[in-house]
Amino acid sequence: MTVTATTPAESAASASPTRRVAWASMIGTSLESFDFYVFAYFSAYFIGPLFFDPLGDFGGTLAGFSTIAVAFIVRPLGAALFGHMGDRLGRRATLLWTVGVMGVATGLIGLLPTYAQAGWLGAILLVVLRVVQGLSLGGEWGGSILLATEHSGPVKRAFYAAIPQLGSPVGSILSAALFIVMTLALPAEELAAWGWRIPFLLALPLLLVSLYLRWSIDETPVFREVVAEGRRDRVPFLAMFARRPVAIVVAIGAALLGIGSYSLMNTYTINYGAEQLGFSFQDLLVATTIGGLLQLVTIPLFGSLATRIGSARVVAWGALGTLLITFPMYYLLQFATFPILVGTMIIGGILPTMSWAALGGLMNDLFPDHFRYSALSVSYAIAATVGGFVPLVTIAIGEASGYAWWHPGIVLGILSLLTLVAAFVAARMRKAPEVGEFDDAREPATV
């Protein structure tokens, strides 16, 4: 591969305008999030009876949530693998791999035999494909953030770091809307018999769209300059721990609320609302979709706010607000009316979304460019692994407490407190150098 050295001025005149790159990155991330959220909704309602029927209702639900956790457990491995590729081979090439692997794995889930058709074979293959999905997603988030931020200047970097974060609510909206349409169009028997396969099989044509979008984006000017200056680390995974160990811990803590709240609201709350509070599955999906639609407005607004007051402060305010409303929100939810459900999804979405929207900007400020892909991916993946256990931990607390109204609040409150502390520390840390600045982090690494 031949790389031509560029100056910062020449990089700013890249063939890929910043806005187009940011939105293209968001669309690609949306489609990959759609693949992942399809399984989240599916697991909350279908996976137990279809693949784990002998385990009973509670055992099947627990097994379904465990398949979610499996994908999160392997995410750090995927982050290390694709982070290495992103820092060595390039951001664009790595993202082509991540979206390709995710699309194929999701499509294959739609072809799996159920327990009634092949016994435990389907469950085993399901776990294998969830592992593949988790590996892929481990390298997706960091790369999508870097595509947006490394094509932009320092002034608007926090805003453009928020744009790929739209991918999660967009993916959630698309998957929820699809399930709403399917539950209205198909009887429950047909949905359980074959209809559940449709969302997974849709991943295959969507994969072609994702690949096209990723192929149309140029490599980032920042990575081209890292290559031109010979500053790539031989093992970026080791370099990031050697040079920024505290920043890794801070980044993990800052990500906990944004990731964990999604797992709590979009997976556990759907099951809890249907099984314990008496909501219909359609009402739960409608409420989730309304909350996701609102995030399409609030995420860019919070990204814009981060450009003025700093990403770390926005993350901190979101965590503090979530901590204050957690228990009142779940207290009201027990009254089981649809307006309260919608209000819970909105309020429980807006405040954690503050932390979510500014997360990419916060992490970008913590790490230098030559191992930034690895650092963002691994930090986020470790936090996501913790977040993957949120439904399991919450249902265990619920079972132990007789599903007392406050049991989800314990989990959300702890996540909020940890993120608040991490954001407070991040706001006081020195920002990583930008392109063209020199310090010890800019020297060619030997790790």
Side-chain angles (χ1 to χ4, degrees), residues 383-406:
T385 299
V386 176
F389 285 94
V390 163
L392 276 172
V393 171
T394 311
I395 197 173
I397 296 174
E399 188 73 10
S401 65
Y403 292 95
W405 65 266
W406 43 262

Short mmCIF file of all heavy atoms in Angstrom, two decimals, residues 383-406:
data_model
loop_
_atom_site.label_atom_id
_atom_site.label_comp_id
_atom_site.label_asym_id
_atom_site.label_seq_id
_atom_site.Cartn_x
_atom_site.Cartn_y
_atom_site.Cartn_z
N ALA A 383 -16.85 -1.97 28.42
CA ALA A 383 -18.07 -1.41 28.99
C ALA A 383 -19.30 -2.13 28.46
O ALA A 383 -20.26 -2.37 29.19
CB ALA A 383 -18.15 0.09 28.68
N ALA A 384 -19.27 -2.48 27.16
CA ALA A 384 -20.41 -3.19 26.56
C ALA A 384 -20.56 -4.59 27.15
O ALA A 384 -21.67 -5.10 27.27
CB ALA A 384 -20.23 -3.27 25.05
N THR A 385 -19.44 -5.21 27.50
CA THR A 385 -19.51 -6.53 28.14
C THR A 385 -20.23 -6.43 29.48
O THR A 385 -21.08 -7.27 29.81
CB THR A 385 -18.09 -7.09 28.34
OG1 THR A 385 -17.46 -7.23 27.07
CG2 THR A 385 -18.14 -8.45 29.02
N VAL A 386 -19.90 -5.40 30.25
CA VAL A 386 -20.63 -5.16 31.50
C VAL A 386 -22.10 -4.91 31.20
O VAL A 386 -23.00 -5.46 31.84
CB VAL A 386 -20.01 -3.97 32.25
CG1 VAL A 386 -20.83 -3.66 33.51
CG2 VAL A 386 -18.56 -4.26 32.62
N GLY A 387 -22.37 -4.07 30.17
CA GLY A 387 -23.74 -3.77 29.81
C GLY A 387 -24.52 -4.98 29.35
O GLY A 387 -25.74 -5.07 29.55
N GLY A 388 -23.83 -5.95 28.75
CA GLY A 388 -24.50 -7.16 28.30
C GLY A 388 -25.07 -7.99 29.43
O GLY A 388 -26.01 -8.77 29.22
N PHE A 389 -24.54 -7.82 30.62
CA PHE A 389 -25.04 -8.56 31.77
C PHE A 389 -26.14 -7.81 32.52
O PHE A 389 -26.69 -8.33 33.49
CB PHE A 389 -23.89 -8.88 32.73
CG PHE A 389 -23.01 -9.99 32.25
CD1 PHE A 389 -21.86 -9.72 31.54
CD2 PHE A 389 -23.35 -11.31 32.50
CE1 PHE A 389 -21.04 -10.74 31.09
CE2 PHE A 389 -22.54 -12.34 32.06
CZ PHE A 389 -21.38 -12.06 31.35
N VAL A 390 -26.44 -6.59 32.08
CA VAL A 390 -27.47 -5.81 32.76
C VAL A 390 -28.82 -6.53 32.80
O VAL A 390 -29.45 -6.59 33.87
CB VAL A 390 -27.60 -4.41 32.10
CG1 VAL A 390 -28.91 -3.73 32.49
CG2 VAL A 390 -26.42 -3.54 32.51
N PRO A 391 -29.34 -7.09 31.68
CA PRO A 391 -30.61 -7.82 31.80
C PRO A 391 -30.54 -9.00 32.75
O PRO A 391 -31.48 -9.24 33.52
CB PRO A 391 -30.87 -8.28 30.35
CG PRO A 391 -30.13 -7.32 29.49
CD PRO A 391 -28.89 -6.99 30.27
N LEU A 392 -29.42 -9.74 32.72
CA LEU A 392 -29.28 -10.89 33.62
C LEU A 392 -29.26 -10.46 35.08
O LEU A 392 -29.93 -11.04 35.93
CB LEU A 392 -28.00 -11.65 33.28
CG LEU A 392 -28.07 -12.67 32.15
CD1 LEU A 392 -26.67 -13.19 31.82
CD2 LEU A 392 -28.98 -13.83 32.52
N VAL A 393 -28.47 -9.44 35.39
CA VAL A 393 -28.36 -8.96 36.77
C VAL A 393 -29.70 -8.41 37.24
O VAL A 393 -30.15 -8.66 38.37
CB VAL A 393 -27.26 -7.89 36.88
CG1 VAL A 393 -27.29 -7.23 38.26
CG2 VAL A 393 -25.89 -8.51 36.62
N THR A 394 -30.36 -7.66 36.36
CA THR A 394 -31.64 -7.04 36.74
C THR A 394 -32.71 -8.08 36.99
O THR A 394 -33.49 -7.98 37.95
CB THR A 394 -32.09 -6.05 35.66
OG1 THR A 394 -31.02 -5.17 35.32
CG2 THR A 394 -33.26 -5.21 36.17
N ILE A 395 -32.78 -9.10 36.13
CA ILE A 395 -33.80 -10.12 36.34
C ILE A 395 -33.49 -10.95 37.60
O ILE A 395 -34.40 -11.40 38.29
CB ILE A 395 -33.93 -11.04 35.10
CG1 ILE A 395 -35.25 -11.81 35.16
CG2 ILE A 395 -32.77 -12.03 34.99
CD1 ILE A 395 -35.55 -12.61 33.91
N ALA A 396 -32.20 -11.12 37.92
CA ALA A 396 -31.84 -11.83 39.15
C ALA A 396 -32.27 -11.03 40.38
O ALA A 396 -32.81 -11.60 41.35
CB ALA A 396 -30.33 -12.08 39.18
N ILE A 397 -32.03 -9.70 40.36
CA ILE A 397 -32.48 -8.85 41.47
C ILE A 397 -34.01 -8.86 41.55
O ILE A 397 -34.59 -8.91 42.63
CB ILE A 397 -31.96 -7.41 41.29
CG1 ILE A 397 -30.43 -7.40 41.35
CG2 ILE A 397 -32.53 -6.49 42.35
CD1 ILE A 397 -29.82 -6.05 41.05
N GLY A 398 -34.66 -8.82 40.37
CA GLY A 398 -36.12 -8.85 40.34
C GLY A 398 -36.67 -10.13 40.95
O GLY A 398 -37.61 -10.10 41.75
N GLU A 399 -36.09 -11.26 40.58
CA GLU A 399 -36.55 -12.54 41.11
C GLU A 399 -36.34 -12.61 42.63
O GLU A 399 -37.20 -13.10 43.37
CB GLU A 399 -35.79 -13.68 40.42
CG GLU A 399 -36.30 -15.06 40.73
CD GLU A 399 -37.63 -15.38 40.06
OE1 GLU A 399 -38.07 -14.59 39.20
OE2 GLU A 399 -38.23 -16.41 40.40
N ALA A 400 -35.18 -12.11 43.08
CA ALA A 400 -34.88 -12.16 44.52
C ALA A 400 -35.76 -11.22 45.33
O ALA A 400 -36.05 -11.49 46.50
CB ALA A 400 -33.40 -11.81 44.74
N SER A 401 -36.20 -10.11 44.72
CA SER A 401 -37.00 -9.12 45.45
C SER A 401 -38.49 -9.25 45.20
O SER A 401 -39.27 -8.40 45.65
CB SER A 401 -36.55 -7.71 45.05
OG SER A 401 -36.83 -7.48 43.67
N GLY A 402 -38.88 -10.31 44.48
CA GLY A 402 -40.30 -10.44 44.14
C GLY A 402 -40.74 -9.38 43.14
O GLY A 402 -41.89 -8.97 43.12
N TYR A 403 -39.79 -8.95 42.32
CA TYR A 403 -40.02 -7.91 41.31
C TYR A 403 -40.59 -6.63 41.93
O TYR A 403 -41.54 -6.03 41.43
CB TYR A 403 -40.93 -8.43 40.19
CG TYR A 403 -40.25 -9.50 39.37
CD1 TYR A 403 -40.45 -10.86 39.66
CD2 TYR A 403 -39.37 -9.16 38.35
CE1 TYR A 403 -39.79 -11.84 38.94
CE2 TYR A 403 -38.71 -10.14 37.61
CZ TYR A 403 -38.93 -11.48 37.91
OH TYR A 403 -38.28 -12.45 37.20
N ALA A 404 -39.95 -6.22 43.01
CA ALA A 404 -40.29 -4.94 43.63
C ALA A 404 -40.04 -3.81 42.63
O ALA A 404 -39.13 -3.89 41.80
CB ALA A 404 -39.44 -4.72 44.88
N TRP A 405 -40.82 -2.74 42.74
CA TRP A 405 -40.78 -1.68 41.73
C TRP A 405 -39.39 -1.05 41.59
O TRP A 405 -39.01 -0.55 40.53
CB TRP A 405 -41.81 -0.60 42.06
CG TRP A 405 -41.51 0.15 43.34
CD1 TRP A 405 -42.00 -0.12 44.57
CD2 TRP A 405 -40.64 1.29 43.49
NE1 TRP A 405 -41.51 0.77 45.50
CE2 TRP A 405 -40.68 1.66 44.86
CE3 TRP A 405 -39.87 2.05 42.63
CZ2 TRP A 405 -39.96 2.73 45.37
CZ3 TRP A 405 -39.13 3.12 43.12
CH2 TRP A 405 -39.19 3.46 44.48
N TRP A 406 -38.59 -1.09 42.65
CA TRP A 406 -37.30 -0.39 42.66
C TRP A 406 -36.15 -1.21 42.10
O TRP A 406 -35.03 -0.70 41.96
CB TRP A 406 -36.95 0.03 44.09
CG TRP A 406 -37.21 -1.02 45.13
CD1 TRP A 406 -38.31 -1.11 45.94
CD2 TRP A 406 -36.38 -2.15 45.46
NE1 TRP A 406 -38.21 -2.22 46.76
CE2 TRP A 406 -37.05 -2.88 46.48
CE3 TRP A 406 -35.17 -2.63 44.98
CZ2 TRP A 406 -36.52 -4.04 47.03
CZ3 TRP A 406 -34.64 -3.79 45.53
CH2 TRP A 406 -35.32 -4.49 46.54
#
